[in-house]
Amino acid sequence: MSANLEAKKIAVDEIKSLIEKSKSIVLVDYRGMTVAQDTALRKEMRDNNITYKVIKNTLFKRACDELGITGLDNALNGTTAFAFGEDETSAPRLIKKIMNDCEKLSIKAGYCNNKAIDEKEVITLASIPSKEQLVAQLLYVLNAPVSSLARALKAIAEK
């Protein structure tokens, strides 16, 4: 077996590992970005525990085929970078935030919950608050009636 073929098999195995560990993947077109914009993008991705890689489309497609993932073939053309998120919303939210600052970056497609999703669905995922925000909102809603009751009882006791 040639060294090149062996290297490609290793790369496909690494990509499969990334896909299996990720809960969401966003495929983006980065054509036209400057080096400074790309460096800032990569730093922000690292700071938010999102793996951001530029991978050859053919290698990613081969990894998807081996994992039985379908529906992403149309997005695998041209320049493609991949953002692998640890949860369903972190990668889409960060990509959308960066897109506001850099108009050259665009979403091609995504993958979440074992399903290929289009650009609109990725943007919808990006609008969902983080888990911490959702927990805080839930706690506020659960705490509001109890605190209102406590204030009312205190007011009655003071009279």
Side-chain angles (χ1 to χ4, degrees):
M1 193 178 304
S2 73
N4 191 23
L5 185 60
E6 190 64 35
K8 286 181 181 181
K9 284 189 176 191
I10 292 170
V12 168
D13 288 340
E14 289 174 4
I15 295 166
K16 284 173 30 181
S17 170
L18 276 172
I19 293 170
E20 289 171 337
K21 284 191 257 178
S22 303
K23 291 196 175 182
S24 67
I25 304 169
V26 181
L27 287 69
V28 296
D29 185 352
Y30 61 92
R31 186 178 348 176
M33 287 180 63
T34 65
V35 173
Q37 289 171 328
D38 187 57
T39 303
L41 168 79
R42 290 175 185 272
K43 181 187 181 316
E44 193 151 356
M45 292 288 183
R46 271 192 309 276
D47 292 346
N48 288 286
N49 295 323
I50 296 170
T51 304
Y52 178 79
K53 290 193 174 275
V54 176
I55 301 170
K56 285 188 169 192
N57 290 330
T58 54
L59 295 178
F60 189 83
K61 182 174 177 357
R62 183 169 293 150
C64 287
D65 290 343
E66 289 182 16
L67 291 172
I69 297 171
T70 59
L72 294 174
D73 293 345
N74 292 338
L76 295 174
N77 52 37
T79 56
T80 309
F82 303 85
F84 299 89
E86 294 178 348
D87 63 41
E88 288 83 357
T89 61
S90 62
R93 189 177 322 105
L94 189 57
I95 291 290
K96 184 177 179 222
K97 177 184 169 221
I98 294 169
M99 280 175 52
N100 293 337
D101 299 333
C102 176
E103 57 275 344
K104 299 287 184 181
L105 191 68
S106 64
I107 297 172
K108 289 177 146 186
Y111 183 75
C112 185
N113 293 330
N114 301 319
K115 178 182 152 201
I117 57 177
D118 63 7
E119 177 187 359
K120 290 177 185 172
E121 290 174 295
V122 173
I123 291 173
T124 301
L125 273 178
S127 65
I128 297 173
S130 69
K131 182 178 180 180
E132 292 81 20
Q133 290 172 323
L134 290 173
V135 169
Q137 289 173 353
L138 176 65
L139 291 176
Y140 176 77
V141 167
L142 292 176
N143 194 26
V146 175
S147 60
S148 296
L149 176 64
R151 282 192 294 272
L153 293 175
K154 183 179 178 188
I156 292 172
E158 288 175 354
K159 284 185 177 185

